[in-house]
Amino acid sequence: MYLGNATPANGTLPAGAQGPAWNTGTFEAHYTHSPKVVLPGRYELVRMAQQSLADTPSDEGNADVFTVGYRYYPFMHSRAGLAWHQEFATGRFRKTSESTQDQRNNSYFMGLDFAF
């Protein structure tokens, strides 16, 4: 309850404070074009089930994130493998700015995975 209200552990909680609660979900699908190319897509959502203060809008802090990408395996052997993958994600966060506007962020990831 203290963390959800940004109150120090030795501080006093605001009147009507309660522990926040969330409901989350992830939906993910992969399309295998060939054994060397996989195209993943993912949708993640977070919904506020209970706000930490009663006068907070019920949808403040809700999040929606959609991610698409690909994974390419240049070589795969029984002893080692290499994967090159890239992903782009875009997220929307409800009423999280100081002016209670929605915020959106985008991110890009590229990396190599080496397994042996």
Side-chain angles (χ1 to χ4, degrees), residues 74-94:
F75 71 89
M76 297 179 294
H77 299 288
S78 60
R79 293 188 176 251
L82 178 70
W84 177 38
H85 50 104
Q86 297 187 53
E87 289 184 353
F88 174 76
T90 182
R92 177 181 172 202
F93 305 89
R94 307 264 165 84

Side-chain angles (χ1 to χ4, degrees), residues 2-113:
Y2 286 91
L3 183 61
N5 287 287
T7 304
N10 59 355
T12 305
L13 286 169
Q18 57 190 2
W22 298 266
N23 292 320
T24 64
T26 301
F27 304 97
E28 187 167 347
H30 295 260
Y31 172 71
T32 305
H33 176 71
S34 71
K36 290 189 170 195
V37 178
V38 177
L39 305 170
R42 182 173 52 250
Y43 173 65
E44 301 166 77
L45 60 115
V46 176
R47 298 293 179 258
M48 294 299 300
Q50 177 175 293
Q51 296 286 2
S52 57
L53 295 172
D55 60 345
T56 305
S58 63
D59 62 342
E60 182 177 320
N62 287 354
D64 296 285
V65 181
F66 184 69
T67 306
V68 294
Y70 73 90
R71 184 176 285 250
Y72 171 65
Y73 299 91
F75 71 89
M76 297 179 294
H77 299 288
S78 60
R79 293 188 176 251
L82 178 70
W84 177 38
H85 50 104
Q86 297 187 53
E87 289 184 353
F88 174 76
T90 182
R92 177 181 172 202
F93 305 89
R94 307 264 165 84
K95 300 179 183 173
T96 53
S97 70
E98 211 166 296
S99 62
T100 66
Q101 298 288 324
D102 292 354
Q103 290 183 328
R104 177 167 294 279
N105 69 358
N106 299 314
S107 65
Y108 169 76
F109 170 78
M110 180 176 65
L112 294 171
D113 287 337

